[in-house]
Amino acid sequence: MKKRVVIIGGGFAGLNTARVLGNKEDIEITLIDRKNYHLFQPLLYQVAMAALGEGDIAAPLRNMLANYRNVTVFKGIVEHIDMENKTVVTDFHNIPYDYLVLACGVQHHYFGHNEWEEFAPGLKTLAQAKEIRRRVMEAYERAERTTDFVERKKLLTFVIVGGGPTGVELAGSIGEMSRYTLSKFYRNIDPKLTRIFIVEAAPRILGSFSPDLASKATRSLEKLGVQVWTNSMVSEVDADGVQIGNERIEAATVLWAAGVTAIEIGKTMEGVETDRIGRIVVSEDLSIPGHPEIFVGGDLAHFVSENGNPLPGLAPVALQQGRAIGKNILLDLKTKARKVFRYRDKGQMATIGKNKAIVEFGGLKFDGIFAWFTWLLVHIYFLTSFRHRVFVLLQWGWSYFTFSYGARLIVNREWRFYPDADSCALRKEKAKKE
Amino acid sequence: MKKRVVIIGGGFAGLNTARVLGNKEDIEITLIDRKNYHLFQPLLYQVAMAALGEGDIAAPLRNMLANYRNVTVFKGIVEHIDMENKTVVTDFHNIPYDYLVLACGVQHHYFGHNEWEEFAPGLKTLAQAKEIRRRVMEAYERAERTTDFVERKKLLTFVIVGGGPTGVELAGSIGEMSRYTLSKFYRNIDPKLTRIFIVEAAPRILGSFSPDLASKATRSLEKLGVQVWTNSMVSEVDADGVQIGNERIEAATVLWAAGVTAIEIGKTMEGVETDRIGRIVVSEDLSIPGHPEIFVGGDLAHFVSENGNPLPGLAPVALQQGRAIGKNILLDLKTKARKVFRYRDKGQMATIGKNKAIVEFGGLKFDGIFAWFTWLLVHIYFLTSFRHRVFVLLQWGWSYFTFSYGARLIVNREWRFYPDADSCALRKEKAKKE
């Protein structure tokens, strides 16, 4: 009888498990995702900044998996995992499994202040990216038509909470857009006067990078008009700005690039250990201790690496874990011993603006135009399909030489609050420990 | 003192008036639109069918008009026209005018059944196009995961109400997609069994074309699996399908491509004559009789042509009227006589699918691959910018040779009911005759 593998989540981890197991004999795969597409999250900020369209960084999961005849894709919502009967309970029908792969990812975390999300959207989904785009462009529209100078200043102020790569990329893009692209489009405002702040609680931004690269990135941001506030913990976010202890910035647009929390699936599973942010603690083979039939990969997994720390939530980690899970399932079927997962470090990088990036790889550290080209080539290389690569390269080329961006369209609000923010599955109201 | 020209609506008419008056001495132009972009409506159905992205057929009005230093663009909502004080009352501030150009276009009309819109969205705005895309793709997703055969049949049934060019283009696209593109992506359904209907009240579809071309288009549609029902008036639309007299089709997706009605601005203006569908009746110079300072152009204008009928709502009509209005304002300023508007007939065309189209131009009529190339070249030529031309051509080329479509992504519902359906301005609750 065929082994039934159910994968929840079509991100880097889930997709790569499916690819390893695709067209293998005696295996039937069901992949469930709340969305109908795989998203290339590393470029999501470019959709938020209108440099790319949504179709450039996302592709329907069905298309990507069409040639694996043993893969069935369902767009649906997982309600809970019945571990006793080895069944996934969904909003359409129940799906029994022999192996279960959990790869649901993470969502934004507001440190106990979920009410801030309305005023400070995060950047994990396409809908959020387009909401950020809408807010940024709408702020300029409103600034152009107001006659109240105080209101105008507030509209031309952008606060990014969190100084990790996402925060830096968002701030850099707004800096570049306001200084170089928008200036000739308005009659009543000068977009070059846009105020941009990164507010970071730690003593410096880009904490995962080396201090000298982070310092160079800070200088690059400053050249684009971004002010970096470190040791600054946001104490309040409202419709008019942010409070940082005794200080206050009035801003019509606040973006959230700070903490993340795992999709709550782990907490709903009896006897499964989760860490402080809800990630599921896994064994060396990526399965849940005591449940060799359940694997966890990607941002949802808490995997302790050789240095004793959990691996970070990066695309290469998720990709490698997804493949390793697939290979371990194949080893099981051949009744061979599973392999221990080892992360091969792919380094990390962040881009600040045109010709400006920082790259860390093994012992290598570099910045400037060469880092920027490295960033560009790596992202193009890892893009989902040949079609994506061609069209993204063309659009970047176009923007590079014309210094214009793509379509800064404001289409209707299409974004909803918290319940939709998670990237794959699990209906919230049912996600409670029984 | 400079003459103040206020243009309401940034479609083909309004945009072209602004272009004629742009950078002309002694003129100050204010263009107000509810959206921040100009939309190339003839290709809107391709966004609905995921063949193109929203950025491919729309561009921010500010970018398009950036080089005209005397043009100010406001994204805003017009509340009413104070004709006595020559002032446009908006939701931000009031704008006085010496000349007013009304170019607000039309929206869908449900023959007194606005409650049908929820079940049968029209196709006039980008948000509507993306809602149609979402509904079509969601129907396939739900069909794939249901185990109920009656439900599945309903989900794989698409009814298009109205057999004009938009209805034909939508039906042809769904036919082509279901027969050629989708088949390998699903495991539980055969997309080739998709049922597609065009329901048209008149004795034939494409009533504005000659009978033999319409007949050829009908044959082309049939080859793509579309059934054409003529002499069929829809009597009821609900969440499960449509009623046509005694007949009923169960369909999860119904699309509306039937009647249109003008944006209601005309009815709110004292002493202004409107026709049956609310269009404003204009004089030969495109101004409102008795109000030489107010012009109307595009779909909103009821202009009686030489054959005694009002001009149809086509892009070339709007474009030519927009230019003519601009020129007449310039003639006024030179104290010369205005010119009578004459429409230079650009013919009409519609595409049914790959290599299939019909074209009528003067005495010429043709169909097939040559018509299809004509359609393609004309649309590329009239696209808004060089960037749009390049990217649309590339995507079409890609789809043509790979027979794949672009990104069939289902992003969150972003579409709202009636109040947002109009293409430019006028807040509904205030649009009442005082």
Side-chain angles (χ1 to χ4, degrees):
Chain A
M1 196 176 137
K2 289 189 176 181
K3 291 287 178 188
R4 296 158 305 184
V5 179
V6 177
I7 302 169
I8 305 178
F12 286 109
L15 184 67
N16 281 289
T17 301
R19 281 175 165 161
V20 169
L21 299 177
N23 290 344
K24 290 286 185 297
E25 265 173 48
D26 299 324
I27 294 182
E28 255 179 28
I29 304 157
T30 305
L31 191 151
I32 309 169
D33 198 306
R34 177 172 200 134
K35 311 178 299 326
N36 78 329
Y37 52 85
H38 169 76
L39 178 65
F40 190 76
Q41 248 169 2
L43 290 178
L44 192 55
Y45 82 96
Q46 296 226 344
V47 174
M49 291 296 118
L52 292 174
E54 57 189 30
D56 296 321
I57 63 157
L61 284 161
R62 320 198 152 279
N63 299 28
M64 299 180 75
L65 296 167
N67 294 327
Y68 301 118
R69 302 305 301 176
N70 62 340
V71 179
T72 303
V73 176
F74 288 124
K75 175 174 179 286
I77 294 172
V78 172
E79 305 199 331
H80 76 273
I81 312 295
D82 180 347
M83 289 193 288
E84 207 169 307
N85 298 304
K86 294 190 178 176
T87 299
V88 176
V89 180
T90 74
D91 64 341
F92 48 107
H93 53 70
N94 298 346
I95 303 171
Y97 63 81
D98 298 305
Y99 288 99
L100 177 64
V101 181
L102 299 175
C104 305
V106 293
Q107 63 190 8
H108 281 284
H109 182 51
Y110 290 84
F111 308 125
H113 291 280
N114 287 350
E115 72 277 11
W116 291 354
E117 197 195 19
E118 185 182 347
F119 312 117
L123 184 63
K124 284 280 166 193
T125 68
L126 269 186
Q128 287 172 328
K130 301 192 76 184
E131 171 64 10
I132 289 177
R133 182 195 294 194
R134 191 189 70 78
R135 288 188 187 204
V136 171
M137 297 321 305
E138 187 74 31
Y140 283 100
E141 291 296 334
R142 286 166 59 203
E144 171 80 350
R145 70 189 203 200
T146 189
T147 47
D148 174 340
F149 288 101
V150 175
E151 177 73 10
R152 183 176 289 171
K153 193 172 67 167
K154 189 172 86 180
L155 286 163
L156 293 182
T157 304
F158 297 85
V159 174
I160 291 105
V161 183
T166 301
V168 166
E169 283 164 345
L170 282 173
S173 298
I174 297 174
E176 198 166 69
M177 186 170 76
S178 58
R179 268 60 187 175
Y180 296 107
T181 313
L182 294 184
S183 50
K184 69 176 178 181
F185 297 139
Y186 298 86
R187 302 289 176 259
N188 302 322
I189 58 171
D190 179 358
K192 290 193 180 108
L193 298 178
T194 302
R195 304 188 301 172
I196 309 157
F197 300 87
I198 290 183
V199 178
E200 167 61 51
R204 64 176 174 96
I205 59 167
L206 296 167
S208 63
F209 288 80
S210 70
D212 53 325
L213 278 187
S215 168
K216 280 177 179 156
T218 304
R219 288 291 304 123
S220 296
L221 285 167
E222 283 171 351
K223 283 180 194 161
L224 292 169
V226 179
Q227 198 171 64
V228 178
W229 289 24
T230 53
N231 286 314
S232 300
M233 175 91 83
V234 169
S235 47
E236 185 60 45
V237 183
D238 56 48
D240 300 308
V242 296
Q243 190 80 29
I244 302 130
N246 295 329
E247 296 185 293
R248 181 167 173 87
I249 304 169
E250 289 274 302
T253 312
V254 182
L255 307 179
W256 193 264
V260 294
T261 182
I263 299 300
E264 286 174 350
I265 199 161
K267 290 184 195 156
T268 69
M269 293 165 72
E270 206 66 53
V272 167
E273 190 192 347
T274 53
D275 69 5
R276 188 180 48 84
I277 62 166
R279 291 180 298 187
I280 297 172
V281 178
V282 294
S283 316
E284 286 191 311
D285 64 354
L286 294 166
S287 70
I288 296 179
H291 284 280
E293 79 283 8
I294 306 182
F295 291 90
V296 187
D299 289 3
L300 183 62
H302 175 111
F303 181 92
V304 180
S305 69
E306 287 148 5
N307 64 18
N309 294 323
L311 288 176
L314 295 172
V317 174
L319 191 150
Q320 291 178 29
Q321 288 183 338
R323 284 184 190 155
I325 290 169
K327 286 177 189 164
N328 274 342
I329 291 173
L330 290 178
L331 288 169
D332 267 20
L333 300 192
K334 294 178 192 156
T335 59
K336 290 185 181 168
R338 291 182 181 179
K339 278 197 178 165
V340 166
F341 176 70
R342 285 268 174 276
Y343 175 54
R344 275 162 293 131
D345 192 353
K346 299 288 182 182
Q348 52 180 342
M349 48 182 80
T351 175
I352 297 106
K354 198 169 177 169
N355 298 339
K356 292 189 202 79
I358 54 173
V359 173
E360 235 174 72
F361 176 67
L364 283 171
K365 289 178 213 165
F366 50 104
D367 66 315
I369 190 163
F370 182 61
W372 187 77
F373 267 108
T374 307
W375 177 92
L376 192 145
L377 289 176
V378 167
H379 282 79
I380 286 291
Y381 177 79
F382 279 103
L383 258 182
T384 311
S385 72
F386 183 64
R387 182 183 194 286
H388 285 89
R389 278 171 215 146
V390 170
F391 279 89
V392 168
L393 250 190
L394 284 169
Q395 300 207 50
W396 283 351
W398 195 281
S399 303
Y400 188 88
F401 291 110
T402 64
F403 236 116
S404 77
Y405 271 78
R408 283 187 303 278
L409 313 175
I410 303 175
V411 181
N412 288 355
R413 187 185 173 86
E414 57 167 318
W415 175 79
R416 288 186 251 159
F417 294 130
Y418 221 56
D420 259 18
D422 46 326
S423 66
C424 74
L426 202 69
R427 179 173 282 175
K428 277 291 156 53
E429 58 269 35
K430 306 242 177 158
K432 285 181 194 126
K433 221 147 199 163
E434 280 159 79
Chain B
M1 195 175 141
K2 287 188 177 184
K3 291 287 178 187
R4 296 159 303 183
V5 179
V6 177
I7 302 171
I8 305 178
F12 287 109
L15 184 66
N16 282 289
T17 301
R19 282 174 165 162
V20 168
L21 299 178
N23 289 344
K24 289 287 186 296
E25 264 173 48
D26 299 325
I27 294 183
E28 254 179 27
I29 305 158
T30 305
L31 190 149
I32 308 168
D33 198 306
R34 178 174 199 131
K35 309 179 298 331
N36 79 326
Y37 52 85
H38 170 76
L39 178 65
F40 191 75
Q41 249 170 359
L43 290 178
L44 191 55
Y45 81 97
Q46 296 226 344
V47 174
M49 293 294 120
L52 292 175
E54 57 189 30
D56 297 321
I57 64 158
L61 285 161
R62 318 198 154 281
N63 299 27
M64 299 179 74
L65 297 168
N67 293 327
Y68 301 116
R69 302 305 301 176
N70 62 340
V71 179
T72 302
V73 176
F74 289 124
K75 175 173 179 287
I77 294 172
V78 172
E79 304 199 331
H80 76 273
I81 311 294
D82 180 348
M83 290 193 289
E84 205 168 308
N85 298 306
K86 295 192 179 178
T87 299
V88 176
V89 180
T90 75
D91 64 341
F92 47 107
H93 53 72
N94 297 347
I95 303 170
Y97 62 81
D98 298 304
Y99 288 99
L100 177 64
V101 181
L102 299 174
C104 305
V106 293
Q107 63 190 10
H108 281 284
H109 182 50
Y110 289 83
F111 308 125
H113 291 279
N114 287 352
E115 72 277 12
W116 292 355
E117 197 195 20
E118 186 182 346
F119 311 117
L123 183 63
K124 283 282 165 194
T125 69
L126 268 186
Q128 287 172 328
K130 300 194 79 184
E131 171 65 9
I132 289 177
R133 182 196 292 195
R134 192 190 70 79
R135 288 189 186 205
V136 171
M137 297 321 303
E138 187 74 31
Y140 282 101
E141 291 296 333
R142 285 167 60 203
E144 171 79 351
R145 69 187 204 201
T146 189
T147 47
D148 174 341
F149 288 102
V150 174
E151 178 72 11
R152 183 175 291 171
K153 194 172 68 169
K154 188 172 87 180
L155 286 163
L156 293 181
T157 304
F158 298 85
V159 174
I160 291 103
V161 182
T166 300
V168 165
E169 284 164 345
L170 282 173
S173 298
I174 297 175
E176 198 166 69
M177 187 170 75
S178 58
R179 267 60 186 175
Y180 296 107
T181 313
L182 294 184
S183 49
K184 69 174 180 184
F185 296 139
Y186 298 87
R187 302 289 175 258
N188 303 322
I189 58 170
D190 179 358
K192 291 195 178 105
L193 298 179
T194 302
R195 304 187 302 173
I196 309 155
F197 300 87
I198 289 183
V199 178
E200 166 61 51
R204 65 177 175 96
I205 59 167
L206 296 167
S208 63
F209 288 80
S210 70
D212 53 327
L213 278 187
S215 167
K216 281 176 178 155
T218 305
R219 289 292 303 122
S220 297
L221 285 167
E222 283 171 350
K223 284 179 192 160
L224 292 170
V226 179
Q227 198 171 63
V228 177
W229 290 23
T230 52
N231 285 315
S232 299
M233 176 89 83
V234 169
S235 48
E236 186 60 44
V237 183
D238 56 48
D240 300 307
V242 296
Q243 191 80 30
I244 301 130
N246 295 328
E247 296 185 294
R248 181 167 174 85
I249 304 170
E250 289 274 301
T253 312
V254 182
L255 307 178
W256 194 263
V260 292
T261 182
I263 299 299
E264 285 174 352
I265 200 161
K267 290 184 195 157
T268 68
M269 294 165 71
E270 205 67 52
V272 167
E273 189 191 350
T274 53
D275 68 4
R276 189 179 48 83
I277 61 167
R279 291 180 297 187
I280 297 173
V281 178
V282 293
S283 316
E284 287 191 310
D285 64 356
L286 295 166
S287 71
I288 296 179
H291 284 281
E293 80 283 11
I294 307 181
F295 291 90
V296 188
D299 289 3
L300 183 63
H302 176 112
F303 182 91
V304 180
S305 68
E306 286 149 5
N307 63 19
N309 294 323
L311 287 176
L314 295 172
V317 174
L319 191 151
Q320 291 178 29
Q321 288 183 338
R323 285 185 190 153
I325 290 169
K327 286 177 190 163
N328 274 342
I329 292 174
L330 290 180
L331 288 170
D332 266 21
L333 301 193
K334 293 178 194 155
T335 59
K336 290 185 182 169
R338 292 182 182 180
K339 276 197 180 165
V340 167
F341 176 69
R342 286 268 175 274
Y343 175 54
R344 275 161 293 132
D345 193 352
K346 298 287 182 181
Q348 52 180 343
M349 49 182 79
T351 175
I352 297 105
K354 198 169 178 170
N355 298 339
K356 292 191 201 79
I358 53 173
V359 173
E360 238 176 70
F361 175 67
L364 283 170
K365 289 178 214 166
F366 50 104
D367 67 316
I369 190 163
F370 183 60
W372 186 78
F373 268 106
T374 306
W375 177 90
L376 192 145
L377 290 175
V378 167
H379 281 79
I380 286 291
Y381 178 78
F382 278 104
L383 258 181
T384 311
S385 72
F386 183 62
R387 182 182 194 286
H388 284 88
R389 276 171 217 149
V390 170
F391 279 89
V392 168
L393 250 189
L394 283 169
Q395 300 208 49
W396 283 352
W398 195 282
S399 303
Y400 188 88
F401 291 110
T402 64
F403 234 116
S404 76
Y405 271 78
R408 284 187 304 278
L409 314 176
I410 304 176
V411 181
N412 287 354
R413 185 185 176 87
E414 60 167 318
W415 176 77
R416 288 187 250 159
F417 294 130
Y418 222 56
D420 259 17
D422 47 326
S423 66
C424 75
L426 202 69
R427 180 172 281 177
K428 277 292 155 55
E429 56 269 36
K430 306 242 178 156
K432 285 183 194 125
K433 218 144 200 164
E434 279 158 82

